[in-house]
Amino acid sequence: QKEVEQDPGPLSVPEGAIVSLNCTYSNSAFQYFMWYRQYSRKGPELLMYTYSSGNKEDGRFTAQVDKSSKYISLFIRDSQPSDSATYLCAMSGTYKYIFGTGTRLKVLA
Amino acid sequence: EAGVTQFPSHSVIEKGQTVTLRCDPISGHDNLYWYRRVMGKEIKFLLHFVKESKQDESGMPNNRFLAERTGGTYSTLKVQPAELEDSGVYFCASSPGPSYGYTFGSGTRLTVV
């Protein structure tokens, strides 16, 4: 069993929709939870960085961490075609990140 | 500020040859990391430098891989001799410290034929 599970998609939504992306994990030692966005042929770009449980909001993006359920989510409000990318969750206990496989998202105009 | 720079962006080499990848981290970032993504798999940790010292190289696949970080600045990752299974995208990332998110470079796509 992988330490981090993430549905690879693809996920297609109409412009303006609310997008929900999720990851589950098995290692209770994880304390830091990240979401990265990756466009084709580019490196991952940090979107959200969260320590421990709770919610964090940044513009149209909201990250949620539920350590009791070992479940993290990223919500994108008012999705735009420019949000079309692969979204990677990552988590760590200290410095070593464990990544999910990424979810491909396509926002249709 | 300048981001994390990696080069070459793409390298195609024959099995048995040597390839050296380079990473220039963000200035002032003591922590430098190498990760790799092989086709269809998740991005996986290779190693971690703090300044010029290797803190953790537990993810290095075997002794054909050698990483260095000269003077705590740029880093190189050498693969010698390259094998077919070494093909993938090699990412470098840097951060000011362990409780900060990484900034990734655009990666080097390595193809071994």
Side-chain angles (χ1 to χ4, degrees), chain A residues 36 41 49 95-97 101, chain B residues 35 37 56 99 102 109:
Chain A
Y36 281 84
R41 304 281 173 162
Y49 181 88
Y95 56 83
K96 185 188 299 186
Y97 285 12
T101 52
Chain B
Y35 281 75
R37 184 169 196 162
D56 182 349
S99 58
Y102 298 172
R109 184 173 298 271

Side-chain angles (χ1 to χ4, degrees), chain B residues 6-17:
Chain B
Q6 291 187 246
F7 49 93
S9 58
H10 192 188
S11 179
V12 181
I13 62 170
E14 292 185 353
K15 177 182 171 181
Q17 288 186 323

Side-chain angles (χ1 to χ4, degrees), chain B residues 60-94:
Chain B
M60 296 287 263
N62 50 60
N63 60 10
R64 295 186 294 103
F65 289 75
L66 175 65
E68 295 178 325
R69 189 177 183 191
T70 307
T73 56
Y74 70 91
S75 175
T76 57
L77 180 64
K78 180 189 287 187
V79 185
Q80 179 182 30
E83 298 289 345
L84 299 178
E85 64 266 24
D86 300 333
S87 295
V89 183
Y90 290 77
F91 291 106
C92 175
S94 70

Side-chain angles (χ1 to χ4, degrees), chain A residues 24-84:
Chain A
T24 59
Y25 63 95
S26 57
N27 189 341
S28 57
F30 289 147
Q31 300 181 78
Y32 300 95
F33 303 90
M34 285 68 64
W35 285 96
Y36 281 84
R37 176 175 63 193
Q38 187 176 19
Y39 293 112
S40 182
R41 304 281 173 162
K42 298 291 185 183
E45 172 194 5
L46 182 65
L47 283 177
M48 302 292 279
Y49 181 88
T50 309
Y51 173 72
S52 194
S53 284
N55 294 0
K56 184 174 183 178
E57 187 172 324
D58 185 0
R60 295 186 296 112
F61 298 92
T62 300
Q64 288 185 351
V65 175
D66 182 348
K67 291 188 72 177
S68 63
S69 300
K70 296 189 177 66
Y71 188 88
I72 71 170
S73 301
L74 177 70
F75 298 95
I76 307 174
R77 290 183 298 281
D78 188 25
S79 56
Q80 302 295 310
S82 57
D83 294 328
S84 298

